Amino acid sequence: LRQALEVVDARRDGSRQNRVIMLSDGEATAGILDTDRIINLGKSYAEDGIGITTIGVGPPPAQVNRS
């Protein structure tokens, strides 16, 4: 996620929507694993004009985080 956000940030275009689209099973398995840190990462980029759209695949997890 961080790498995708950095790519979008480096290629930011004020005339277009700047967004990462992430497909995920909802389980963090590499990189930042802490849920709060992931949420804060997304919030900081959102405040800077880069959005994240997530699409969940697979069976529903036991606990769903929505922020």
Side-chain angles (χ1 to χ4, degrees), residues 28-60:
T29 56
I32 301 171
L33 303 179
D34 179 72
T35 302
D36 290 334
R37 288 185 60 204
I38 294 169
I39 290 169
N40 288 333
L41 176 68
K43 284 181 180 179
S44 68
Y45 276 92
E47 289 170 359
D48 203 26
I50 298 174
I52 302 172
T53 296
T54 58
I55 301 171
V57 295

